[in-house]
Amino acid sequence: MKIFLDTADIREIREAHSWGILDGVTTNPSLVAKEGKDFLDVVREICALVQGPVSAEVVSTTTDEMIREGKDIMRRVGAPNVVIKIPMIREGLRAIRALSSEGIRVNTTLIFTAPQALLAAKAGASFVSPFIGRLDDISHLGMDIVRDIRAIFDNYDFKCEILAASIRNPLHVVDAARLGADIATMPFSVLEAIIKHPLTDIGLQRFLKDWEKLPQQMRKG
Ligand code: G3P
């Protein structure tokens, strides 16, 4: 499974990238607004650092405007790894069809049901983003839709990738991987939480302490 960061914070992206495990980045208007920087500059900076797909979201809601905005982002960022994020609304479906037929990769965002994902894939989306955490927040099992989307895409051989989004904790990542999501996009805090385990830290301290007991001349190997 591929690991994406869900952030527009370049320091977090730089750090995760340096670990050699980062496959891509997703942003959304809320995440970009938090940074207080020019939107296109932020996307350009991320694209220069990360080779994998970088999602940048449109903020218009009519088909024509979404198409115009998507193309504008592609042109002005000028990086081949930009993916245009389009919301799962009626006008969005038409925009997905138009952009994908021109070879622009689309990530359909705000997916909350499996049939929404089916329609997005039929319209030509390269990625669908089911929002796991936000479904859990309202007492629906978010992972159930990842399971259903996986089964549907496999049944009909859709090439569209399942990008599990709104990931809130390491268990979400495990479940997404078990269910065959192609990608999990997560906040930096979740990525850090995955690395950390108290027994790893205690075990390392114990190994290092025990090593000190070996006389200096015997430690060279
Ligand atoms: O980027 C889309 C999604 O991952 C948002 O997550 O935590 O705001 O529900 P969240």
Side-chain angles (χ1 to χ4, degrees):
M1 185 177 67
K2 284 173 259 186
I3 300 283
F4 284 15
L5 264 191
D6 196 28
T7 183
D9 183 333
I10 196 72
R11 285 158 309 174
E12 293 180 346
I13 296 167
R14 197 171 286 128
E15 176 68 12
H17 181 257
S18 75
W19 301 339
I21 47 83
L22 189 61
D23 298 301
V25 172
T26 50
T27 68
N28 64 40
S30 310
L31 294 170
V32 174
K34 226 164 71 180
E35 296 308 302
K37 294 185 197 164
D38 179 80
F39 167 53
L40 292 177
D41 284 348
V42 170
V43 180
R44 274 189 210 104
E45 206 176 348
I46 300 171
C47 287
L49 189 62
V50 177
Q51 283 75 47
V54 174
S55 289
E57 188 160 340
V58 300
V59 287
S60 33
T61 52
T62 66
T63 302
D64 288 349
E65 274 299 294
M66 281 189 259
I67 296 169
R68 190 203 54 72
E69 205 187 327
K71 287 183 181 175
D72 195 53
I73 294 170
M74 291 302 296
R75 186 177 54 78
R76 293 173 66 193
V77 171
N81 51 338
V82 183
V83 172
I84 301 301
K85 228 174 172 185
I86 301 280
M88 179 60 213
I89 54 177
R90 187 183 303 205
E91 296 77 5
L93 282 177
R94 299 192 190 107
I96 296 165
R97 169 62 66 209
L99 291 170
S100 63
S101 60
E102 290 192 31
I104 294 173
R105 287 185 296 169
V106 173
N107 173 3
T108 309
T109 190
L110 293 165
I111 296 269
F112 292 96
T113 69
Q116 283 183 320
L118 171 63
L119 288 192
K122 282 187 80 74
S126 299
F127 306 89
V128 285
S129 291
F131 275 34
I132 310 308
R134 291 193 196 184
L135 279 169
D136 286 358
D137 290 347
I138 57 159
S139 306
H140 282 259
L141 287 175
M143 281 301 160
D144 280 356
I145 73 161
V146 172
R147 184 183 293 108
D148 287 345
I149 298 169
R150 181 73 282 154
I152 292 166
F153 283 8
D154 289 349
N155 278 350
Y156 299 102
D157 206 20
F158 281 115
K159 297 295 172 237
C160 184
E161 293 190 69
I162 303 171
L163 197 168
S166 187
I167 293 272
R168 300 276 166 77
N169 56 58
L171 279 181
H172 276 156
V173 179
V174 174
D175 285 341
R178 276 195 314 129
L179 293 171
D182 300 284
I183 305 156
T185 189
M186 64 202 74
F188 186 71
S189 57
V190 172
L191 197 54
E192 278 185 312
I194 291 174
I195 297 171
K196 202 118 184 91
H197 195 286
L199 289 179
T200 304
D201 297 340
I202 292 167
L204 178 61
Q205 287 315 312
R206 194 175 297 160
F207 284 152
L208 296 179
K209 216 163 139 237
D210 289 345
W211 185 249
E212 292 299 318
K213 294 175 191 158
L214 192 67
Q216 186 73 39
Q217 66 275 19
M218 298 173 94
R219 290 188 208 167
K220 300 220 166 73

